[in-house]
Amino acid sequence: MNKPDTVPQITLGPLSASEKVYLSGTLHPIRVPLRRIATAEGAVTVYDSSGPYTDPGARIDIAAGLAPVRIPFARDRGEAETYPARDVTAADNGFAEGARLVPAFPRRPEPLRATAGRAITQLAYARAGIITPEMEFAAIRENEGRTAAHTRDGEPFGAEIPDLATPDFVRAEIAAGRAIIPANINHPELEPMVIGRAFKVKVNANIGNSAITSSMEEEVEKMVWAIRWGADTVMDLSTGRNIHNIRDWILRNAPVPIGTVPLYQALEKVGGVAEDLSWEIYRDTLIEQAEQGVDYFTIHAGLRREMIGLTARRVTGIVSRGGSIMAKWCLHHGRESFLYERFEEICDICRAYDVSFSLGDGLRPGSIADANDAAQFAELRTLGELAQVAWAKDCQVMIEGPGHVPMHKIKANMDEQLKHCHEAPFYTLGPLTTDIAPGYDHITSAIGAAMIGWFGTAMLCYVTPKEHLGLPDRDDVKTGVVTYKLAAHAADLAKGHPGAQARDDALSRARFAFRWEDQFNLGLDPDTARAFHDETMPKAAHKEAQFCSMCGPKFCSMKISQDIREAAEAEAGTCPNGLTPAAE
Amino acid sequence: MNKPDTVPQITLGPLSASEKVYLSGTLHPIRVPLRRIATAEGAVTVYDSSGPYTDPGARIDIAAGLAPVRIPFARDRGEAETYPARDVTAADNGFAEGARLVPAFPRRPEPLRATAGRAITQLAYARAGIITPEMEFAAIRENEGRTAAHTRDGEPFGAEIPDLATPDFVRAEIAAGRAIIPANINHPELEPMVIGRAFKVKVNANIGNSAITSSMEEEVEKMVWAIRWGADTVMDLSTGRNIHNIRDWILRNAPVPIGTVPLYQALEKVGGVAEDLSWEIYRDTLIEQAEQGVDYFTIHAGLRREMIGLTARRVTGIVSRGGSIMAKWCLHHGRESFLYERFEEICDICRAYDVSFSLGDGLRPGSIADANDAAQFAELRTLGELAQVAWAKDCQVMIEGPGHVPMHKIKANMDEQLKHCHEAPFYTLGPLTTDIAPGYDHITSAIGAAMIGWFGTAMLCYVTPKEHLGLPDRDDVKTGVVTYKLAAHAADLAKGHPGAQARDDALSRARFAFRWEDQFNLGLDPDTARAFHDETMPKAAHKEAQFCSMCGPKFCSMKISQDIREAAEAEAGTCPNGLTPAAE
């Protein structure tokens, strides 16, 4: 791995004991990446969101960007066409100049958009019965190389999870509004993935520009680092200067869907004064970002003026940035939110590029005291209404959720969301199950995330240890992603996802057989597991040891248990039910 | 704090912004410690298991031990008497000699035991309608200085949690077998606490001797460090040499209940050869430890010979050390476990000193694949039978639980335990909700721990980041304890514990009002929260800042939200329901 001291570089190379493999499509000429982990009892194949960066055969040059792996499906069909892009203005980059201006990405292809009257969204195709390359790609990924279901005995709470995700099943779930494939037609570098409760629970990681940007590599590396550990999508929440150019560098190098909150950039364009926001500036920002290839927009259109008063007696008021900006605008102007009033026009823009909606919960609770209150659920019902508006425009939609919620109130969030948002995928931030653990909120929230993932949430937005306290560094991002991957996996197991338990079983067999390297390599973070082991047992020979430092050789229950198995089998002969003979 | 580089010392002094306060009893002359956290809006009083070490007024000398704060209740009543202690043998300390022998604790008082025919356990007194000093002490602690319930709206799953824990309520719960106060009459240094599902969820931390013991301070410090961060009980799982002497040092300095697995020491006495264990050696070890003051014993008496074969086809066999040792013994001798056969005799010993039982789950699942299997539940039913045997002998009992369990199988563990173990308190290790995150198993297990705590588990045994990999160091112990404290608190909130949410609300108000220091101090780990904040905003002035480094001053939603509150209140006038007027 390239990790010099001063110049940030892109982390390359496979994870421990892993190789990249590609499966082919049968409907479309696609190559679907998976990760194959070598073990003593054979390879275990797992989902892989890390992109070409973990493929030693890929040539990485961030100034060139990733190869365009997506088939220009709509274009081939004559339903999308290029056009002269909107001009980049100084405001797009916060009026950064000279040395403070991040250079523009070297290449600027003309953007695509739907030809007049055409619906080119995944939803439109799904409804028309068309299986797109994106759908087949996502379906193959989901199966992780399986051809049948592994052990599955979960409780899916109504999610209808098939033994194998077929391309047509993906299509049907999208057509029903129960799943989305965020895939802007201007993001050809994307390896498509599906978000929906019939599929594996996904994880989003947030990144953002630094106050002092030292290089484009640094910004791209944040995304590469997050996906290396398993982030399925990345939100670029940059503020301040250089937003436009940084986003271009990220998108041209991103194999995962990139989400944004366009309001943040719009606010920068009016100097940070919420009252000065206007529909025209916001609309222009949507087009700017859609042309660049942003795959999903968080839009807080459900926060209506009449709801603001519902927050006045809250312990923590409005904690969503987007929500508070819009609330401030509404109060100042004494008007309804332009995001709500212009929502159909917003849909028309998203429809032209297939930008998915992530309808933001501007009124999410920011404390245990405010969970599941009138403000939160009033907005949720409005988000459900907006989802139907978007669907009528063939736009893909997911719904954002909380926040801070004690365990006994989590299920109601999912139930209300399913009911009022008509099964549109739910995308939650945690939720945090207590307020009292600053410094440990990745854990506080992983509890809630695992539970709400089990109940049906399709994607979990990670929380890092720095939540509420400061900017996450590289270690925090990794900790946050791995924590959320384990929460998502706990949810997959509990839902009875057909492939989930295979990896647990392989790791547990390795553990029981003292195959230490296999145990590390099958884990979510082989490097940390190995380092922890080596702190007390550093020698290579210890990797073969029939014990570990916790109990030492005499006490090892795993070792004794193996002896017992041999003795029991000898005693029981071929007893098929595993019972020892009853007689003495 | 005393943390020199070379000589380990005991960590002393209060937590950030905290002072120790003592409440008096009304029935007994007791002083019950609580922690008072100073904030700008007044003090918040919380439970405090850290003992005199956080009281600047206490004189700490580990060679003298803590002051005996417990009233010798049974002795005063003429129901317990001293007698000449069992001789300490070389085998008790693993035949350590010379420089390798940890010195004996300087003071060796004669042990107490019940006079012939007397039942001096908390259970016996509770059944007789007697409120002991221990019961009053534990009741006052539970209330954390409250005189009424705070907001409570949880789902307690049948736990009957009163607004205030009265001494007689504690007595009644103990009499019903639903709670225990682990309190050996030979542990006068103990600050009594209660374990039961009608009370706050408790956390246990495991410690153990080092391979190379550098000092008695080091061993005592492990316990002091664990309780500083909130461990309610500590299990000494030492193996190898010096077990007896180290335990004496720990007990004489322990304000919390100390638990052990006596089988570990018994095994040392037979050179680590499980087959050489005998009832006589085990019995002698129980008496040795009971005389020292061990408060609860993990005893794997529920693992019967006939169950061993049920584990033969498991993915991870028997992962409990105690369980695997006994299984090996049974198989070798072709006999029933002596722990099961001699259980009534074991009860007689525990009864004489009031050592509580923690009936061990030797067949707990060590992998997702093995969760809730026939072996596990066969043993659980036997543990329920043994609980009734122990209760018939006036012994206090809790039941140990798993282990590795996916989320959808956690509730069944609690339900089966309540049913088959007649509501004896449940004490679980996690459970871990996946197998695939070595290095992060404190988190994987905190998910399961929070859930099973909500469902009714009374105490959670912590898991550190080093689980499955190596020996936890000081940082790992702290991480494990804080992680489990937040899981236990999440459970208290979800159960609707009458005082739980007060601290969340105080912290959230501090967060909303940008009272950074109050936010840190009200958290479970003020030092880490402050350090994380200071990484990006180190200046003292930033502690007053109306924003943080995550969003910066322009974007701060909390700040905007405060502006909104003022504007909404101005617009709404005195509107009592917090709604803005409907008219424009």
Side-chain angles (χ1 to χ4, degrees):
Chain A
M1 281 190 283
N2 302 313
K3 280 170 64 184
D5 285 343
T6 48
V7 182
Q9 290 188 15
I10 306 302
T11 304
L12 300 178
L15 268 70
S16 178
S18 296
E19 65 170 332
K20 181 87 71 175
V21 294
Y22 294 93
L23 299 186
S24 299
T26 54
L27 305 175
H28 297 281
I30 52 177
R31 288 173 79 224
V32 181
L34 292 167
R35 179 158 72 98
R36 189 172 283 166
I37 306 168
T39 83
E41 53 172 35
V44 175
T45 304
V46 300
Y47 199 101
D48 185 357
S49 61
S50 62
Y53 302 99
T54 51
D55 183 351
R59 185 173 161 273
I60 302 297
D61 171 3
I62 68 161
L66 296 178
V69 293
R70 278 175 71 197
I71 312 297
F73 189 66
R75 189 178 195 172
D76 274 359
R77 295 169 57 91
E79 296 174 328
E81 60 195 0
T82 55
Y83 68 100
R86 167 190 172 284
D87 287 333
V88 176
T89 68
D92 296 351
N93 283 304
F95 304 97
E97 291 182 325
R100 304 184 78 167
L101 177 66
V102 168
F105 188 77
R107 186 165 55 77
R108 189 165 189 233
E110 286 206 313
L112 278 171
R113 71 179 167 202
T115 53
R118 292 293 183 174
I120 50 93
T121 65
Q122 297 292 325
L123 177 54
Y125 289 130
R127 285 172 167 169
I130 296 168
I131 297 172
T132 64
E134 289 81 5
M135 295 172 196
E136 187 183 25
F137 196 106
I140 292 172
R141 283 190 114 162
E142 287 288 321
N143 296 328
E144 300 180 289
R146 276 182 300 110
T147 54
H150 189 80
T151 304
R152 54 182 301 199
D153 62 356
E155 165 53 64
F157 294 109
E160 292 177 18
I161 307 171
D163 280 353
L164 286 173
T166 63
D168 193 61
F169 178 76
V170 172
R171 183 204 60 74
E173 288 294 293
I174 292 172
R178 282 194 296 266
I180 67 171
I181 293 181
N184 185 320
I185 57 170
N186 290 311
H187 189 190
E189 302 86 356
L190 181 72
E191 296 174 350
M193 49 78 75
V194 62
I195 300 170
R197 77 188 163 113
F199 304 102
K200 285 171 74 80
V201 175
K202 304 303 189 296
V203 170
N204 172 70
N206 295 330
I207 61 172
N209 57 342
S210 309
I212 301 154
T213 299
S214 53
S215 73
M216 293 78 77
E217 280 87 355
E218 192 177 312
E219 300 302 326
V220 173
E221 169 64 6
K222 289 176 187 171
M223 178 269 296
V224 171
W225 183 245
I227 65 177
R228 178 176 185 84
W229 299 110
D232 293 287
T233 79
V234 167
M235 290 194 77
D236 174 15
L237 302 183
S238 293
T239 57
R241 293 191 177 86
N242 293 308
I243 294 183
H244 181 96
N245 286 359
I246 288 172
R247 192 166 48 229
D248 239 6
W249 283 92
I250 291 170
L251 273 162
R252 298 290 72 79
N253 288 284
V256 299
I258 299 295
T260 63
V261 185
L263 196 64
Y264 294 176
Q265 189 180 14
L267 187 67
E268 292 291 339
K269 292 179 182 178
V270 294
V273 182
E275 298 85 335
D276 291 349
L277 283 166
S278 68
W279 162 242
E280 289 68 29
I281 287 166
Y282 188 80
R283 178 180 176 282
D284 182 57
T285 305
L286 293 181
I287 292 169
E288 171 191 352
Q289 298 197 9
E291 289 183 351
Q292 287 183 289
V294 171
D295 299 289
Y296 64 90
F297 288 155
T298 290
I299 297 187
H300 299 91
L303 193 170
R304 300 192 60 182
R305 187 186 171 212
E306 66 192 18
M307 299 169 190
I308 298 169
L310 295 173
T311 69
R313 285 162 192 253
R314 279 181 157 187
V315 168
T316 46
I318 300 176
V319 296
S320 148
R321 282 193 269 171
S324 61
I325 292 163
M326 287 312 300
K328 194 166 189 179
W329 189 93
C330 292
L331 285 179
H332 178 82
H333 293 282
R335 290 193 51 181
E336 183 59 275
S337 156
F338 61 80
L339 299 178
Y340 181 80
E341 290 190 332
R342 303 284 189 161
F343 190 69
E344 291 203 47
E345 288 167 79
I346 295 172
C347 290
D348 290 333
I349 295 168
C350 289
R351 171 189 169 98
Y353 304 90
D354 198 8
V355 180
S356 296
F357 280 103
S358 183
L359 292 175
D361 56 334
L363 298 180
R364 69 169 176 266
S367 56
I368 293 296
D370 296 342
N372 295 20
D373 73 353
Q376 183 194 336
F377 283 148
E379 184 188 39
L380 183 70
R381 285 188 291 275
T382 306
L383 296 180
E385 293 164 19
L386 295 173
Q388 290 182 308
V389 173
W391 285 336
K393 295 271 191 181
D394 290 319
C395 292
Q396 302 189 90
V397 182
M398 59 182 171
I399 309 287
E400 294 186 10
H404 290 237
V405 185
M407 284 191 287
H408 65 293
K409 293 186 178 176
I410 291 176
K411 184 77 164 50
N413 275 273
M414 193 70 232
D415 293 344
E416 291 292 302
Q417 194 272 346
L418 286 172
K419 178 177 167 191
H420 295 295
C421 299
H422 322 289
E423 301 193 81
F426 204 23
Y427 167 33
T428 62
L429 178 68
L432 283 74
T433 53
T434 88
D435 300 342
I436 68 164
Y440 299 79
D441 279 336
H442 59 308
I443 304 175
T444 316
S445 65
I447 294 168
M451 291 176 69
I452 206 162
W454 175 23
F455 300 150
T457 291
M459 187 158 76
L460 307 170
C461 184
Y462 89 162
V463 170
T464 78
K466 292 279 170 59
E467 182 75 13
H468 298 118
L469 298 170
L471 286 171
D473 62 19
R474 185 175 171 89
D475 287 342
D476 295 322
V477 167
K478 178 177 172 180
T479 299
V481 171
V482 175
T483 298
Y484 269 66
K485 289 299 281 185
L486 75 83
H489 185 72
D492 287 339
L493 284 175
K495 288 168 76 175
H497 191 85
Q501 199 182 313
R503 187 169 176 180
D504 297 82
D505 292 352
L507 190 145
S508 289
R509 286 193 302 270
R511 186 172 274 159
F512 191 65
F514 302 101
R515 287 186 273 113
W516 287 98
E517 285 292 343
D518 288 351
Q519 184 186 160
F520 306 149
N521 294 333
L522 288 163
L524 291 172
D525 178 1
D527 302 348
T528 296
R530 186 176 291 108
F532 281 3
H533 178 267
D534 288 358
E535 277 181 30
T536 29
M537 292 178 70
K539 295 178 190 166
H542 288 154
K543 299 299 191 305
E544 309 294 321
Q546 301 281 302
F547 58 92
C548 76
S549 62
M550 284 179 288
C551 311
K554 282 188 210 166
F555 269 85
C556 181
S557 58
M558 292 269 192
K559 178 72 178 67
I560 295 173
S561 193
Q562 290 188 356
D563 297 345
I564 288 166
R565 177 174 297 188
E566 287 160 24
E569 283 171 359
E571 189 178 344
T574 57
C575 176
N577 61 4
L579 285 164
T580 53
E584 287 289 339
Chain B
M1 282 189 284
N2 302 312
K3 280 170 60 183
D5 285 341
T6 48
V7 183
Q9 291 189 15
I10 307 302
T11 304
L12 300 178
L15 267 71
S16 177
S18 296
E19 65 170 331
K20 182 88 71 176
V21 294
Y22 294 93
L23 299 186
S24 299
T26 55
L27 305 175
H28 298 281
I30 52 176
R31 289 175 79 225
V32 182
L34 292 167
R35 178 158 74 98
R36 189 172 284 165
I37 306 168
T39 83
E41 53 172 36
V44 175
T45 304
V46 299
Y47 199 100
D48 185 356
S49 62
S50 62
Y53 303 99
T54 49
D55 182 351
R59 185 175 160 273
I60 302 297
D61 171 3
I62 68 160
L66 295 177
V69 292
R70 277 175 71 196
I71 311 297
F73 189 66
R75 189 178 196 174
D76 273 1
R77 295 168 59 91
E79 297 174 327
E81 59 195 1
T82 57
Y83 68 99
R86 167 190 172 283
D87 287 332
V88 176
T89 69
D92 296 353
N93 283 304
F95 304 97
E97 292 183 323
R100 305 183 78 166
L101 178 66
V102 169
F105 188 77
R107 186 165 55 78
R108 192 168 186 233
E110 286 204 313
L112 279 170
R113 71 180 167 202
T115 53
R118 292 293 182 174
I120 51 91
T121 66
Q122 297 292 324
L123 176 54
Y125 290 129
R127 284 171 167 171
I130 296 168
I131 296 171
T132 64
E134 288 81 5
M135 295 172 196
E136 187 182 25
F137 196 106
I140 293 171
R141 284 191 113 162
E142 287 288 321
N143 296 327
E144 300 179 289
R146 276 182 299 111
T147 53
H150 189 80
T151 304
R152 55 183 300 199
D153 62 357
E155 165 53 65
F157 293 109
E160 292 177 17
I161 307 171
D163 280 352
L164 286 172
T166 63
D168 193 62
F169 178 77
V170 172
R171 183 202 61 73
E173 287 293 294
I174 291 172
R178 282 194 296 266
I180 67 171
I181 293 180
N184 185 321
I185 58 171
N186 290 310
H187 188 189
E189 302 86 356
L190 181 72
E191 296 174 349
M193 49 77 76
V194 62
I195 300 169
R197 76 187 163 113
F199 304 102
K200 284 171 73 79
V201 175
K202 304 303 189 296
V203 169
N204 172 70
N206 296 329
I207 61 172
N209 57 343
S210 309
I212 301 153
T213 300
S214 53
S215 72
M216 294 77 78
E217 280 87 355
E218 191 177 314
E219 301 302 326
V220 173
E221 168 63 5
K222 289 176 186 171
M223 178 270 297
V224 172
W225 183 246
I227 65 178
R228 179 176 184 82
W229 299 110
D232 293 287
T233 79
V234 167
M235 289 194 78
D236 174 15
L237 303 183
S238 293
T239 58
R241 295 192 175 85
N242 292 308
I243 293 183
H244 181 97
N245 285 0
I246 288 172
R247 192 166 50 229
D248 239 7
W249 283 93
I250 291 171
L251 273 161
R252 298 290 73 78
N253 288 284
V256 298
I258 298 296
T260 64
V261 186
L263 195 65
Y264 294 177
Q265 189 180 13
L267 187 67
E268 293 291 339
K269 292 179 182 177
V270 294
V273 181
E275 297 85 336
D276 292 349
L277 283 166
S278 67
W279 162 242
E280 290 68 29
I281 287 167
Y282 187 80
R283 177 181 177 282
D284 181 57
T285 306
L286 293 180
I287 292 169
E288 172 192 351
Q289 298 197 11
E291 289 182 350
Q292 287 182 292
V294 171
D295 299 289
Y296 64 90
F297 288 155
T298 290
I299 298 187
H300 299 92
L303 192 169
R304 299 192 61 182
R305 188 187 170 210
E306 66 192 18
M307 298 168 190
I308 298 168
L310 295 173
T311 69
R313 288 167 189 250
R314 279 180 157 187
V315 168
T316 46
I318 300 176
V319 296
S320 149
R321 282 193 269 172
S324 61
I325 292 164
M326 287 312 300
K328 193 165 190 181
W329 189 93
C330 292
L331 285 179
H332 178 82
H333 294 283
R335 289 192 51 181
E336 183 58 275
S337 156
F338 60 80
L339 298 179
Y340 181 81
E341 289 191 331
R342 302 286 188 161
F343 191 70
E344 291 203 48
E345 289 167 77
I346 296 172
C347 290
D348 289 334
I349 296 168
C350 288
R351 170 189 170 98
Y353 304 89
D354 199 8
V355 180
S356 296
F357 280 103
S358 183
L359 292 176
D361 57 334
L363 299 180
R364 69 169 176 267
S367 56
I368 292 298
D370 296 343
N372 294 20
D373 73 353
Q376 183 194 337
F377 283 148
E379 184 187 40
L380 184 70
R381 286 188 291 274
T382 305
L383 297 180
E385 293 164 19
L386 295 174
Q388 290 182 309
V389 173
W391 284 336
K393 294 272 191 180
D394 290 320
C395 292
Q396 302 189 90
V397 182
M398 60 182 170
I399 309 286
E400 294 186 9
H404 290 237
V405 184
M407 283 191 288
H408 64 293
K409 293 186 178 176
I410 291 176
K411 185 74 163 51
N413 274 274
M414 193 69 232
D415 293 344
E416 290 292 302
Q417 194 272 347
L418 286 172
K419 179 178 167 190
H420 295 295
C421 299
H422 322 289
E423 301 193 82
F426 205 23
Y427 166 32
T428 61
L429 178 68
L432 283 75
T433 53
T434 87
D435 300 342
I436 68 164
Y440 299 79
D441 279 336
H442 59 308
I443 304 175
T444 316
S445 66
I447 294 167
M451 291 176 70
I452 206 163
W454 175 24
F455 300 149
T457 291
M459 186 158 76
L460 307 170
C461 183
Y462 88 162
V463 170
T464 77
K466 292 278 171 60
E467 182 75 13
H468 298 118
L469 298 169
L471 287 171
D473 62 19
R474 186 177 170 87
D475 286 342
D476 296 320
V477 167
K478 178 177 172 180
T479 299
V481 171
V482 174
T483 298
Y484 270 66
K485 289 300 281 185
L486 75 84
H489 185 73
D492 287 339
L493 284 176
K495 288 169 76 175
H497 191 85
Q501 199 182 313
R503 188 169 176 180
D504 297 80
D505 292 353
L507 190 146
S508 289
R509 286 192 301 269
R511 185 171 275 159
F512 191 66
F514 303 101
R515 287 186 274 112
W516 288 98
E517 284 292 344
D518 288 351
Q519 184 186 159
F520 306 150
N521 294 333
L522 287 163
L524 291 173
D525 178 1
D527 302 347
T528 296
R530 186 176 291 107
F532 281 2
H533 178 267
D534 288 359
E535 277 181 30
T536 29
M537 292 177 70
K539 294 180 189 165
H542 287 155
K543 299 298 190 307
E544 309 294 322
Q546 302 281 303
F547 58 91
C548 76
S549 61
M550 284 180 288
C551 311
K554 281 188 211 167
F555 269 84
C556 181
S557 59
M558 292 270 191
K559 179 70 177 69
I560 294 173
S561 192
Q562 290 188 356
D563 296 345
I564 288 165
R565 177 172 297 188
E566 287 160 24
E569 283 171 358
E571 190 177 344
T574 56
C575 177
N577 61 3
L579 286 164
T580 52
E584 288 289 339

